[in-house]
Amino acid sequence: MRNLAVILFWASVLVAVTFALLPHPPRVPGEPSDKIQHIIAFTVMAGLAAAAFPGVSKWRLMLWLCTLGAGIEVFQAIPALHRDSEAADWLADTLAGGAALLAAHGVERLWRARQPG
């Protein structure tokens, strides 16, 4: 199961980075706003990261996701990509990733508390 989570995590990172750096990314069904797309992407990546790397602290995963979000925004500032770099996008990434990792931490604690002995 963990191997599947690792594969899905890296696939989600690849999709998110690809969509973020394409000059004209494909339309998303329902056409959610840019911020909603950021929130969905980083919530999914954070949840998959928690499942894929259970031995890694949530703080370290959060740092990695924050760095990824910041890196995306830096690359989006390259004029040739015709994308907009916004600090608010990075903030959305950070808050969504943090909320998902906090939820994962809570689930893990509940799971451990219910395990016998």
Side-chain angles (χ1 to χ4, degrees):
M1 185 72 147
R2 183 173 167 268
N3 289 339
L4 177 60
V6 170
I7 291 167
L8 291 174
F9 168 74
W10 286 112
S12 72
V13 170
L14 180 63
V15 168
V17 170
T18 300
F19 275 38
L21 299 181
L22 284 173
H24 303 288
R27 293 188 184 269
V28 176
E31 298 190 28
S33 73
D34 178 56
K35 298 301 177 275
I36 297 297
Q37 290 180 44
H38 278 265
I39 290 167
I40 291 169
F42 275 79
T43 298
V44 168
M45 287 189 290
L48 288 170
F53 309 107
V56 177
S57 78
K58 300 303 180 278
W59 287 112
R60 184 169 293 216
L61 294 175
M62 186 67 204
L63 178 62
W64 192 90
L65 289 169
C66 285
T67 303
L68 176 64
I72 287 171
E73 294 308 313
V74 167
F75 277 99
Q76 285 184 340
I78 296 171
L81 292 179
H82 304 288
R83 297 301 301 259
D84 294 322
S85 178
E86 296 180 27
D89 288 345
W90 177 76
L91 181 61
D93 300 342
T94 300
L95 293 175
L101 289 171
L102 186 61
H105 176 70
V107 168
E108 287 173 5
R109 286 189 62 167
L110 284 173
W111 179 260
R112 281 194 304 267
R114 291 183 174 225
Q115 296 303 308

